[in-house]
Amino acid sequence: MKILLTKISGFVLIGAGVLLAGCSRSDESARSDSHSGNLSPAEQSYVAPGKMDEFYLFYSGGHSGQVFVAGIPSMRHLCTIPVFAPYSGTGYGFDEESKALLGDFTWGDVHHPALSQTDSLYDGRWLFVNDNANNRVARIDLRDFKTKQVLGPIPNSSGNHGSSFVTENTEYILVATRFSVPLPKGRYADPKDYAEEFNGMVSGIKVSPESGEMSVGWQIVTPPFNWDLGSTGKGPSSGWAFWTSYNTEMASSVMEVNASQRDRDLAAFVNWHHAEAAVRAGKVTIEDGIPMIDPAKTPGILYFVEIGKSPHGIDTDPSGRWIVASGKLQPTTTVFDFEKVLAAIDAKKFSGEFRGVPIIDYNAIVEGEVPIGLGPLHTQFDGKGSAYTSLYIESAVAKWKMPPWTDAEKADLNSVVTDKIPVHFNIGHLVIGGSDTREPYGEWLVAMNKLSKGRHLSVGPSQPESSQLIDITGKKMNMVYESFTEPEPHFAQILRANTIQPIEVYPKSENHDPNAIWSLDEGIVERNGNVVEAKIVAVRSRFGPDRIDAQVGDTLILHITNIEQTPDMIHGFGLAEHNLNVVMDPGETKTVRLKLEKSGVFPFYCTNFCSALHQEMQGYLAVRPAPEVAIVE
Amino acid sequence: MKSHLLDAEIRFMEKPLNGLSRFWLMLSVGTLIGAVIFPLWKIHLVAPQYQEGLQLTIYAWKLVGGNGGQDLVEINNLNHYIGMRAIRAVDFIEMKWIPFAFGLFGMLALRAAVHGKMSQVVDLLALFLYFGVFSFGSFFYRMYQYGHDLDPRAPVNIEPFTPTVLGSQQIANFLQTSLPMSGSFCLFAFVVFQLMAIWSSRKESL
C-alpha cells in the first residue's frame, strides 16, 4: 500500500511538473520570440488564431466618450468599454443604471486613462478615466470591464484635462482644470476680466481602498492658468504631483497667440500629503460642499516652477527622482532633479512668487534641457535608463538617456539622444507599459498619432487615428505594426494580461437585484394603477413572458434577467420604435422604464445573437389606446 | 451419477474459509465504501463552441454537473431544443436504493468473513453480479429513454438515439464520451476480491 501511494504521488508530481514545464515554456517562447532579432516585424506582432496577446492596451476614446481595449502585440481591437456616451452594442445608456451613470450628458471627452496602483505597481483593480468636457472622472472595474461610477461634474472646476493621475497606492486620483471659469460655478463674469474673475483648480479625488468609490476629497484654488497634464510622484517625490500649464499670460481670447507670449509658463508642484494635512487641520473654507485650500494662506502645498515654453507633458520617471517636462514650442525637454527641488524648498531658493505662491528658482533644480527635437509632448520610460519623448511637429519618437549624465554628456546634451524613429503622423501621446510605475515593462511602445492620412485605404474625409507599435527592446527602436482606431485615443495604459482574471459570467449568487427571477415559471406581468411592471427571463431561446399588455399612458417597467451562466451567452432586448435596446450579460438583471405614448403592437426581440433559434426569440408589447374618458357637459 | 456430481459442488460450498480469504472479504468491504465516495461514471460532451467540454459525473447517490453544477443546466438547456426531458437527479430513483444495496453487500461480506463459509461468498458473488448487470441495464435503459422519449413539438426534430454508455459517439455537433470512473473500478475490485476469497480457500478440507 505504502509503495502504491508513493508511486501515485510520484505520478502526480511528475504530472504537475509536466504542466508547469509546459506553462513556463510557452510563456518564455511568447516573450522572447516576439522580440527576437531574427524575427520579421510580421512575426513579432503575429498572434495566431486561437492564441492570445500578452498585454492589454487600454486606449482613451477621446470625444467618442469610450475606452477601447486592444491586445499587444497584435494590436487587435478586443472590445469597447462605454463610459460617457451611450453604446447600443452593449445596451449602455438605455437601462436605468447606465442612464444614471451618464447623467444629463450623452458624450464625454476621455483623455487620460490611469490604472490603479498598489505600492507604485499596477494592481489590476480599476481603470480611471477623465472627461475633459463635462469635468468628470469614471471608474471601470477590471473584474468585468464595466463602468461602475461616474463622478461629476466636479464642483468648482471646468475642463478636467489634467486628469486622471493615480497616487502610489490609489489614495487619490489627482486632477486639474484646463479651463478656468468664474467661481462659484454659475456666476457670470466678463471674460475680459479673466485674470481677476476666473480661477483654476487642483482636486484630490479620494478613492475608497475597498470599493473604489470616488469622492472629491479637497481642492486647491489656483490662478486661471490652463493646467494641462500631470503626473504623480514616488520614491523621493512621494506625496507630490506635478502639472504643466499654458497661458500663464492669463489671456482669454485669441489664445493661440496671446497664450504663447511668455518664454516660460508656470508648472504646479503640489504636495498632496500637505494638502490632506491642511484639510485635517481645518485650514480650509467649504466651497460648494468641498474643503478648499487657498495656497497663499497655507504655504507648503503649492509651488510654481518655470518651464519653457507652453509645456505639455510632465512625467515622473520610475525612480521618482527625475521630472521630465516638454516645452511643446521649444525643441527641448527639461529634466528636473526632485532631490534638488526638496533642497531648494528647504533653502527657500525662490526666484519670486505669483499671488502668494513661491516660484522655485529654476537654476537650482534643473538637471538639463535635452535638445530632442521639434514639438516634444510626452515622455515615457523603459525602466532601463532610457526615456522616449513624442515629437509632435517632427512626427517622431526620440529615445534618450536619462541622467545621471557624465560631464561630457552634460557639456553636449545632444549626445544623450540615442535614437529617433519617424511615426505617421503628428504623434500626440505615446505609452510604454508600466511607465508610471516603478517597474516599467520596457518591451513595447505604442505611438498614438493624430493624423493617419495616406496610411490606410481611403475612407473619405472622416479619417481614423493611427497607432504604431514599436519594439523598444533593442538599441534601436523598431516599428512592428500599425493599426487604426476610432476617434480618438489620447493617452493609453498597457497592462500585462496575467495581472487580471476577469469574470466571464455574473455568478447567480452575486445577483442581488430584488427583481431578478431565475426560471421561466416566475415570469410575471403585473399592473399597479397605471404602472405595468414585468419580471422577464431571457434564456435560449425565449423571453418569458413573451407578451406584455399595456395601454397608452402607462409607465412600463421591465426587469429582464439573463439566467444563463454560460460564457458569451448574451441576450439583448430591443423594442421596436421605442429607442430601447438593453443587453444582459449572463447572470445580469437590467431594468428599463418607459412611458407608453402610442398604441399598437410592438415586437421585441433578442438583439445579441444567442443561439440557433435566436431569430425566434421575440415577443410582443401590445398597447391598447387609452380608454376614452366620458366628457361630462 | 447425477447426484454424485452435485455432491462435489455441495462439498465445495461447505468448505471453511481460511484467514487469507477472510482478509480478502474484509478488503472488499472497503471497495464498497470507495464505490460510494468516488464517482461511478462520467459523461463528457465536447463541441466546437464547448472546447472546454461539458461534464456530468454520476455517483452512486448523486448527479453532479461540472463547473459547479452549471454544466448540467447547460446540457438541459441545449437538450430542450431536441425535446429531451431535463436530466434531474430526483428522477434517478436508483440513487436512493443503490447506496442501501452497497450497505447490504458490505454486511454480507462481513458475515462471510466472520462466519467463514464458502457458500456465503458464492451467494454474495452471484447476488452482486445480478445486481451489477441489473444496474448497468437500468442505466442503459435510462439513457435509451432520454434519447427516445423526445417531445414531438420540439424545435429540432432528430432521430431518436441512445447516448453511448461506454465509449464515444458523435451526436450532432457534440462528441459524447462515456467512461467508468474510480467508483466503478471499486465495484470491479469487489468482484475480484470475492473471486480471490473463493480461490484462496479452494483447497481447504472440510
Side-chain angles (χ1 to χ4, degrees):
Chain A
M1 201 61 177
K2 216 172 189 178
I3 293 168
L4 186 66
L5 277 179
T6 322
K7 266 190 180 169
I8 288 172
S9 59
F11 280 128
V12 171
L13 284 177
I14 290 166
V18 168
L19 286 176
L20 288 174
C23 287
S24 64
R25 193 169 55 238
S26 61
D27 280 355
E28 285 297 305
S29 63
R31 182 100 63 93
S32 54
D33 282 353
S34 60
H35 292 289
S36 157
N38 301 326
L39 290 181
S40 68
E43 289 168 307
Q44 276 187 278
S45 63
Y46 182 64
V47 177
K51 301 287 181 210
M52 290 183 209
D53 283 294
E54 202 183 342
F55 301 95
Y56 288 101
L57 174 62
F58 296 97
Y59 282 117
S60 68
H63 45 293
S64 75
Q66 320 294 37
V67 166
F68 308 136
V69 185
I72 290 179
S74 76
M75 300 297 280
R76 295 180 294 197
H77 176 253
L78 299 173
C79 74
T80 295
I81 304 173
V83 185
F84 295 117
Y87 185 61
S88 51
T90 58
Y92 186 83
F94 294 87
D95 66 301
E96 293 305 298
E97 198 177 330
S98 57
K99 267 157 70 181
L101 286 172
L102 289 175
D104 297 331
F105 305 100
T106 55
W107 79 289
D109 190 5
V110 183
H111 276 247
H112 311 115
L115 289 162
S116 60
Q117 299 189 12
T118 300
D119 193 20
S120 293
L121 294 173
Y122 296 148
D123 58 22
R125 298 180 76 188
W126 306 298
L127 181 76
F128 300 94
V129 295
N130 64 324
D131 168 16
N132 180 51
N134 304 311
N135 316 309
R136 294 177 292 174
V137 183
R139 185 183 81 253
I140 294 164
D141 196 327
L142 294 181
R143 184 175 181 245
D144 60 357
F145 282 50
K146 295 283 173 65
T147 303
K148 289 295 155 74
Q149 188 191 359
V150 174
L151 177 77
I154 300 169
N156 308 314
S157 355
S158 190
N160 184 35
H161 185 274
S163 169
S164 316
F165 306 108
V166 170
T167 58
E168 295 150 89
N169 290 294
T170 321
E171 296 94 339
Y172 288 95
I173 313 300
L174 297 175
V175 309
T177 52
R178 173 173 161 202
F179 306 126
S180 291
V181 290
L183 295 178
K185 268 161 106 175
R187 181 170 74 87
Y188 171 83
D190 191 330
K192 79 176 163 50
D193 301 324
Y194 183 85
E196 298 77 36
E197 295 290 340
F198 288 49
N199 272 108
M201 201 66 64
V202 167
S203 305
I205 309 294
K206 207 169 170 49
V207 180
S208 157
E210 292 81 31
S211 65
E213 190 75 10
M214 305 177 290
S215 57
V216 183
W218 39 259
Q219 295 186 312
I220 304 167
V221 66
T222 75
F225 308 153
N226 294 47
W227 300 115
D228 199 6
L229 269 157
S231 65
T232 56
K234 59 175 93 62
S237 56
S238 175
W240 289 78
F242 316 99
W243 282 271
T244 54
S245 78
Y246 60 99
N247 196 24
T248 306
E249 297 85 350
M250 298 190 286
S252 62
S253 65
V254 201
M255 298 280 285
E256 65 165 329
V257 174
N258 293 335
S260 308
Q261 295 304 301
R262 289 176 50 142
D263 274 345
R264 285 178 181 163
D265 284 284
L266 295 178
F269 282 32
V270 175
N271 188 320
W272 63 264
H273 277 170
H274 287 182
E276 257 191 333
V279 174
R280 274 199 301 273
K283 294 177 184 169
V284 293
T285 55
I286 303 297
E287 309 292 341
D288 202 2
I290 310 296
M292 191 175 293
I293 298 161
D294 180 342
K297 289 182 185 151
T298 312
I301 293 173
L302 176 64
Y303 297 89
F304 291 139
V305 171
E306 293 186 300
I307 296 177
K309 168 179 183 178
S310 298
H312 195 53
I314 185 163
D315 299 283
T316 310
D317 90 309
S319 76
R321 178 174 174 189
W322 310 107
I323 313 298
V324 178
S326 298
K328 69 182 181 232
L329 299 182
Q330 67 175 20
T332 58
T333 195
T334 309
V335 184
F336 296 101
D337 181 346
F338 198 78
E339 287 175 358
K340 288 183 186 166
V341 171
L342 291 176
I345 291 171
D346 269 351
K348 295 198 162 22
K349 285 189 189 166
F350 302 133
S351 57
E353 54 99 38
F354 189 91
R355 291 190 184 173
V357 174
I359 301 170
I360 303 172
D361 180 12
Y362 180 83
N363 295 316
I365 61 173
V366 70
E367 186 70 12
E369 292 180 2
V370 185
I372 52 168
L374 300 178
L377 293 187
H378 302 281
T379 301
Q380 295 277 285
F381 308 94
D382 64 6
K384 299 166 193 159
S386 286
Y388 301 76
T389 301
S390 57
L391 302 173
Y392 178 84
I393 295 171
E394 207 172 311
S395 284
V397 172
K399 175 182 179 180
W400 51 282
K401 182 177 172 292
M402 289 286 292
W405 295 311
T406 63
D407 288 342
E409 285 168 341
K410 268 189 187 169
D412 177 17
L413 281 176
N414 280 302
S415 65
V416 303
V417 180
T418 55
D419 189 25
K420 208 174 257 190
I421 188 169
V423 291
H424 313 88
F425 303 96
N426 292 95
I427 179 173
H429 275 272
L430 73 182
V431 62
I432 292 173
S435 174
D436 54 346
T437 72
R438 58 184 169 81
E439 286 176 6
Y441 304 151
E443 296 179 36
W444 297 108
L445 181 153
V446 177
M448 285 163 272
N449 310 309
K450 299 300 183 189
L451 304 185
S452 64
K453 56 179 182 177
R455 300 290 294 185
H456 48 78
L457 288 178
S458 178
V459 291
S462 193
Q463 307 229 344
E465 318 304 330
S466 89
S467 299
Q468 293 176 310
L469 181 69
I470 296 168
D471 177 4
I472 55 166
T473 54
K475 243 180 126 168
K476 293 277 173 195
M477 292 178 277
N478 183 29
M479 175 121 14
V480 167
Y481 197 74
E482 177 174 51
S483 73
F484 302 93
T485 65
E486 299 280 293
E488 168 181 290
H490 291 268
F491 190 39
Q493 294 269 271
I494 294 172
L495 181 65
R496 195 180 290 287
N498 62 15
T499 312
I500 55 174
Q501 283 83 39
I503 55 166
E504 299 205 337
V505 301
Y506 291 102
K508 182 179 168 183
S509 57
E510 286 182 22
N511 184 324
H512 301 302
D513 192 312
N515 296 304
I517 54 169
W518 295 96
S519 74
L520 286 163
D521 319 332
E522 294 173 81
I524 189 169
V525 184
E526 281 176 319
R527 170 176 287 280
N528 194 352
N530 59 356
V531 175
V532 174
E533 191 162 5
K535 293 176 186 173
I536 301 173
V537 156
V539 66
R540 274 163 289 170
S541 306
R542 67 176 79 172
F543 292 107
D546 59 0
R547 173 174 177 164
I548 302 161
D549 286 282
Q551 65 189 30
V552 171
D554 284 345
T555 296
L556 182 65
I557 302 171
L558 307 176
H559 311 282
I560 314 162
T561 303
N562 177 349
I563 65 171
E564 312 272 5
Q565 291 282 282
T566 302
D568 214 0
M569 206 42 72
I570 299 162
H571 297 296
F573 182 96
L575 177 60
E577 297 179 16
H578 280 78
N579 193 37
L580 178 70
N581 178 49
V582 288
V583 177
M584 291 74 59
D585 293 337
E588 197 174 33
T589 302
K590 287 214 170 144
T591 294
V592 295
R593 176 189 282 268
L594 65 158
K595 185 98 176 154
L596 297 177
E597 284 166 348
K598 49 194 173 190
S599 63
V601 176
F602 304 97
F604 57 81
Y605 68 102
C606 178
T607 49
N608 203 104
F609 207 106
C610 58
S611 58
L613 293 168
H614 162 76
Q615 293 296 85
E616 285 77 358
M617 189 165 169
Q618 64 165 78
Y620 293 98
L621 167 67
V623 185
R624 293 173 191 277
E628 284 183 26
V629 182
I631 298 164
V632 183
E633 292 280 323
Chain B
M1 284 289 272
K2 211 175 177 187
S3 59
H4 209 72
L5 269 176
L6 268 180
D7 277 352
E9 265 85 50
I10 288 164
R11 273 203 303 281
F12 184 78
M13 291 297 217
E14 293 301 317
K15 282 189 182 201
L17 299 176
N18 61 19
L20 189 57
S21 290
R22 289 169 198 250
F23 172 71
W24 295 131
L25 287 167
M26 296 300 284
L27 265 188
S28 76
V29 176
T31 64
L32 289 175
I33 295 169
V36 175
I37 295 172
F38 301 119
L40 293 173
W41 222 265
K42 73 166 178 189
I43 298 175
H44 196 72
L45 296 159
V46 175
Q49 62 274 51
Y50 293 94
Q51 292 286 331
E52 66 285 4
L54 298 171
Q55 180 140 322
L56 204 54
T57 309
I58 298 160
Y59 287 77
W61 53 283
K62 65 174 178 182
L63 198 61
V64 178
N67 190 17
Q70 179 51 34
D71 285 358
L72 179 56
V73 177
E74 191 64 20
I75 288 167
N76 285 334
N77 214 337
L78 294 169
N79 284 343
H80 99 273
Y81 287 117
I82 58 168
M84 189 189 279
R85 276 189 299 125
I87 301 170
R88 300 183 307 167
V90 290
D91 293 339
F92 286 76
I93 43 165
E94 300 93 324
M95 291 180 178
K96 298 236 186 317
W97 58 259
I98 282 183
F100 175 78
F102 283 172
L104 214 59
F105 287 119
M107 286 168 77
L108 288 174
L110 281 175
R111 176 172 175 260
V114 174
H115 213 252
K117 210 170 146 191
M118 183 63 81
S119 63
Q120 290 164 339
V121 186
V122 174
D123 286 353
L124 172 57
L125 183 59
L127 276 174
F128 189 80
L129 288 176
Y130 166 73
F131 161 82
V133 169
F134 181 87
S135 300
F136 196 80
S138 151
F139 179 46
F140 183 86
Y141 180 62
R142 220 160 250 296
M143 289 287 155
Y144 173 90
Q145 265 190 320
Y146 274 117
H148 283 76
D149 185 12
L150 301 174
D151 183 349
R153 294 192 67 248
V156 180
N157 291 315
I158 64 163
E159 276 295 303
F161 66 103
T162 305
T164 186
V165 173
L166 188 65
S168 292
Q169 76 172 349
Q170 190 78 28
I171 309 169
N173 54 334
F174 276 97
L175 180 69
Q176 182 227 343
T177 304
S178 288
L179 288 173
M181 294 189 77
S182 46
S184 289
F185 297 124
C186 285
L187 295 179
F188 181 71
F190 182 83
V191 173
V192 171
F193 285 138
Q194 304 308 313
L195 289 172
M196 283 165 84
I198 294 169
W199 183 257
S200 298
S201 294
R202 71 188 187 284
K203 288 180 181 163
E204 290 296 315
S205 50
L206 277 168

